[in-house]
Amino acid sequence: MLIKNIHIDGKEMANDIRITDGKFTEIGENLNAGPGEELVDGTDCMLLPPMIESHVHLDTCLTAGDPAWNMSGTLFEGIECWAKRKEKLSKEDVKERARRALRMQAANGVQYVRTHVDITDPTLTALEAMTELREEVKDFMTIQIVAFPQEGILSYPNGKELLVKAVEMGADCVGAIPHFEFTREYGVESVNFALELAAKYDRLVDVHCDEIDDEASRGLETVACRALELGLFDKVTASHTTAMHSYNNAYVNRLMRLLKMSRINFVSNPLVNTHLQGRCDTYPKRRGVTRVKELLAEGLNVSFGHDDVFDPWYPLGTGNPRDVVFLGLHVCQMMGYEEILDSYKLVTYNAARTLHLGDSYGIREGNDADCIILNAKNFYQALNEKSSVLYSYKKGKLLYRETPAKGELLFS
Ligand code: FE2
């Protein structure tokens, strides 16, 4: 197959790219189609590697209002609502909802998903369902599972044992939630336990870290310090870190040195963070999103995630990473022209670093032909015009296609 005249990674100049036997085999100008070779016209379109959802909760998705709506809009009422819904979980229920959400994501160009799965459940029903689903959908979606202790490691009965069991059942990453533990001491101990467990079992780490407006929530420094001391470095990710929004600048200045030494990744979730945070404020209300712009400026890796899709923590959501970037650029004040052009990296290349996908991810000769074609010649246009994914290919096989809708103004 030959894709003609397409803007690869949104580059100004269009190129041609050939896919043979499921691999990118040639990138260049004026490539000629071989006899019978399929041709795709990429004029005014951009070619990107697949979108990556670096932070979502597939086990909770599509449950908003069941059995109760989160009326306060806080993280903590969300956890209460979910605790009730969790009582009636079955494997079939989890798989059916997660599969629906994956299909929504696939229609938006996503081919990789890191999902947190609540393991504060003595039956580990959701985890078992997700490990099965990971295998069932692998031809169209690569799933990474985080063993996520939603109700704490030290503050939930047998929390440590459940986390170990989850890792032994096949979780790819170890999670923690220090800001939800009963005490600060428990928070520190939970992070130590999670990272040491990951080191022992050679797993990645993704911590729900300081997802609170409390400026005294300091889980991040413990995560970064242990990542450094255990030699885990960029195997570790701190998700949310919304308290960092409220830290005093002198503390951030000191903290940044440790963050750079630790080389940990960050995932920010602008849709859900702006919705859940600032709920204890009157006015002014804090935006509640971590310091994305400053972290990037210091050379740290940051990606954007959707976090929740129609669940107790977020009542909306289409699973579209483009929506996340759109809001994230506003709330992080990253609206410079170059920042907008480059913002696709927050849901592609940067997320690939977080998921440890290595050099096999990306548009280059020799890699698997995993890619999407967006109906825009750059990401500025894609965001501004809410451009669709026209095609999504995995190993050169078409997974999704869309015909753009055409509107017509009937006045002059
Ligand atoms: Fe989350």
Side-chain angles (χ1 to χ4, degrees), residues 178-179 187-188 191 195 207-212 214-228 236-245 247 251-252 254-256 258-260 262 264-267 290-291 295 300:
H179 58 277
V188 171
V191 169
L195 269 68
V207 176
H208 275 65
C209 192
D210 304 318
E211 190 183 1
I212 190 165
D214 176 9
E215 67 281 5
S217 186
R218 301 285 166 93
L220 179 57
E221 62 181 21
T222 307
V223 170
C225 180
R226 298 303 287 149
L228 173 67
V236 175
T237 296
S239 283
H240 297 292
T241 64
T242 58
M244 195 182 189
H245 183 104
Y247 290 166
Y251 174 66
V252 172
R254 194 259 283 179
L255 177 66
M256 205 58 93
L258 170 63
L259 297 180
K260 285 194 280 187
S262 75
I264 63 170
N265 306 293
F266 288 80
V267 181
T290 196
R291 303 188 187 203
L295 290 166
L300 287 149

Side-chain angles (χ1 to χ4, degrees), residues 155-268:
S155 312
Y156 187 79
N158 302 315
K160 286 184 175 178
E161 290 76 10
L162 285 167
L163 193 58
V164 173
K165 197 168 171 205
V167 168
E168 289 176 345
M169 282 171 65
D172 304 287
C173 316
V174 181
I177 185 166
H179 58 277
F180 189 75
E181 300 284 355
F182 290 148
T183 66
R184 190 194 60 79
E185 287 81 1
Y186 278 11
V188 171
E189 191 181 337
S190 72
V191 169
N192 287 336
F193 182 79
L195 269 68
E196 281 161 19
L197 185 66
K200 182 178 170 192
Y201 284 84
D202 192 23
R203 297 293 199 275
L204 301 172
V205 175
D206 197 329
V207 176
H208 275 65
C209 192
D210 304 318
E211 190 183 1
I212 190 165
D213 292 318
D214 176 9
E215 67 281 5
S217 186
R218 301 285 166 93
L220 179 57
E221 62 181 21
T222 307
V223 170
C225 180
R226 298 303 287 149
L228 173 67
E229 289 173 351
L230 290 165
L232 293 171
F233 298 110
D234 61 350
K235 289 182 173 173
V236 175
T237 296
S239 283
H240 297 292
T241 64
T242 58
M244 195 182 189
H245 183 104
S246 300
Y247 290 166
N248 66 74
N249 290 338
Y251 174 66
V252 172
N253 199 34
R254 194 259 283 179
L255 177 66
M256 205 58 93
R257 174 173 173 265
L258 170 63
L259 297 180
K260 285 194 280 187
M261 288 167 73
S262 75
R263 308 202 304 262
I264 63 170
N265 306 293
F266 288 80
V267 181
S268 177

Side-chain angles (χ1 to χ4, degrees), residues 55 57 208 240 307:
H55 187 122
H57 296 254
H208 275 65
H240 297 292
D307 199 5

Side-chain angles (χ1 to χ4, degrees), residues 78 157 169 271 397:
M169 282 171 65
L271 291 177
K397 189 178 152 212

